[in-house]
mmCIF file of all heavy atoms in Angstrom:
data_model
loop_
_atom_site.group_PDB
_atom_site.id
_atom_site.type_symbol
_atom_site.label_atom_id
_atom_site.label_comp_id
_atom_site.label_asym_id
_atom_site.label_seq_id
_atom_site.Cartn_x
_atom_site.Cartn_y
_atom_site.Cartn_z
ATOM 1 N N ILE A 69 1.456 8.606 -4.792
ATOM 2 C CA ILE A 69 0.715 7.369 -4.998
ATOM 3 C C ILE A 69 -0.722 7.531 -4.530
ATOM 4 O O ILE A 69 -1.063 8.441 -3.760
ATOM 5 C CB ILE A 69 1.364 6.163 -4.296
ATOM 6 C CG1 ILE A 69 1.066 6.160 -2.784
ATOM 7 C CG2 ILE A 69 2.851 6.094 -4.551
ATOM 8 C CD1 ILE A 69 1.368 4.836 -2.108
ATOM 9 N N ALA A 70 -1.560 6.627 -5.021
ATOM 10 C CA ALA A 70 -2.938 6.498 -4.564
ATOM 11 C C ALA A 70 -3.171 5.028 -4.248
ATOM 12 O O ALA A 70 -2.699 4.153 -4.976
ATOM 13 C CB ALA A 70 -3.917 6.968 -5.640
ATOM 14 N N LEU A 71 -3.885 4.763 -3.148
ATOM 15 C CA LEU A 71 -4.238 3.392 -2.770
ATOM 16 C C LEU A 71 -5.745 3.343 -2.509
ATOM 17 O O LEU A 71 -6.198 3.190 -1.372
ATOM 18 C CB LEU A 71 -3.464 2.957 -1.521
ATOM 19 C CG LEU A 71 -1.949 2.853 -1.641
ATOM 20 C CD1 LEU A 71 -1.330 2.471 -0.293
ATOM 21 C CD2 LEU A 71 -1.543 1.837 -2.715
ATOM 22 N N PRO A 72 -6.537 3.483 -3.565
ATOM 23 C CA PRO A 72 -7.990 3.547 -3.374
ATOM 24 C C PRO A 72 -8.590 2.182 -3.046
ATOM 25 O O PRO A 72 -8.019 1.135 -3.341
ATOM 26 C CB PRO A 72 -8.484 4.049 -4.736
ATOM 27 C CG PRO A 72 -7.466 3.517 -5.708
ATOM 28 C CD PRO A 72 -6.153 3.586 -4.988
ATOM 29 N N ALA A 73 -9.756 2.223 -2.426
ATOM 30 C CA ALA A 73 -10.551 1.040 -2.136
ATOM 31 C C ALA A 73 -12.012 1.420 -2.347
ATOM 32 O O ALA A 73 -12.342 2.611 -2.405
ATOM 33 C CB ALA A 73 -10.306 0.567 -0.701
ATOM 34 N N PRO A 74 -12.895 0.440 -2.495
ATOM 35 C CA PRO A 74 -14.309 0.771 -2.707
ATOM 36 C C PRO A 74 -14.823 1.766 -1.669
ATOM 37 O O PRO A 74 -14.687 1.557 -0.462
ATOM 38 C CB PRO A 74 -15.005 -0.594 -2.584
ATOM 39 C CG PRO A 74 -13.973 -1.572 -3.047
ATOM 40 C CD PRO A 74 -12.661 -1.019 -2.545
ATOM 41 N N GLY A 75 -15.376 2.858 -2.156
ATOM 42 C CA GLY A 75 -15.898 3.890 -1.271
ATOM 43 C C GLY A 75 -14.853 4.814 -0.688
ATOM 44 O O GLY A 75 -15.193 5.701 0.088
ATOM 45 N N HIS A 76 -13.602 4.639 -1.083
ATOM 46 C CA HIS A 76 -12.527 5.461 -0.512
ATOM 47 C C HIS A 76 -11.488 5.749 -1.598
ATOM 48 O O HIS A 76 -10.521 5.007 -1.749
ATOM 49 C CB HIS A 76 -11.879 4.717 0.657
ATOM 50 C CG HIS A 76 -10.909 5.550 1.426
ATOM 51 N ND1 HIS A 76 -9.865 5.015 2.161
ATOM 52 C CD2 HIS A 76 -10.808 6.909 1.585
ATOM 53 C CE1 HIS A 76 -9.176 5.977 2.727
ATOM 54 N NE2 HIS A 76 -9.729 7.127 2.401
ATOM 55 N N PRO A 77 -11.662 6.849 -2.365
ATOM 56 C CA PRO A 77 -10.750 7.167 -3.476
ATOM 57 C C PRO A 77 -9.435 7.783 -2.997
ATOM 58 O O PRO A 77 -9.015 8.852 -3.465
ATOM 59 C CB PRO A 77 -11.563 8.153 -4.303
ATOM 60 C CG PRO A 77 -12.401 8.876 -3.286
ATOM 61 C CD PRO A 77 -12.765 7.826 -2.255
ATOM 62 N N LEU A 78 -8.778 7.134 -2.072
ATOM 63 C CA LEU A 78 -7.600 7.668 -1.402
ATOM 64 C C LEU A 78 -6.480 8.032 -2.378
ATOM 65 O O LEU A 78 -5.955 7.179 -3.090
ATOM 66 C CB LEU A 78 -7.078 6.638 -0.398
ATOM 67 C CG LEU A 78 -5.792 6.963 0.336
ATOM 68 C CD1 LEU A 78 -5.947 8.217 1.194
ATOM 69 C CD2 LEU A 78 -5.355 5.780 1.193
ATOM 70 N N GLY A 79 -6.136 9.330 -2.407
ATOM 71 C CA GLY A 79 -5.032 9.797 -3.239
ATOM 72 C C GLY A 79 -5.402 10.170 -4.652
ATOM 73 O O GLY A 79 -4.547 10.648 -5.403
ATOM 74 N N LEU A 80 -6.650 9.964 -5.049
ATOM 75 C CA LEU A 80 -7.072 10.246 -6.422
ATOM 76 C C LEU A 80 -7.605 11.669 -6.549
ATOM 77 O O LEU A 80 -8.065 12.272 -5.590
ATOM 78 C CB LEU A 80 -8.144 9.255 -6.864
ATOM 79 C CG LEU A 80 -7.718 7.780 -6.919
ATOM 80 C CD1 LEU A 80 -8.905 6.891 -7.269
ATOM 81 C CD2 LEU A 80 -6.575 7.576 -7.909
#
Side-chain angles (χ1 to χ4, degrees):
I69 78 165
L71 295 177
H76 188 205
L78 176 62
L80 297 176

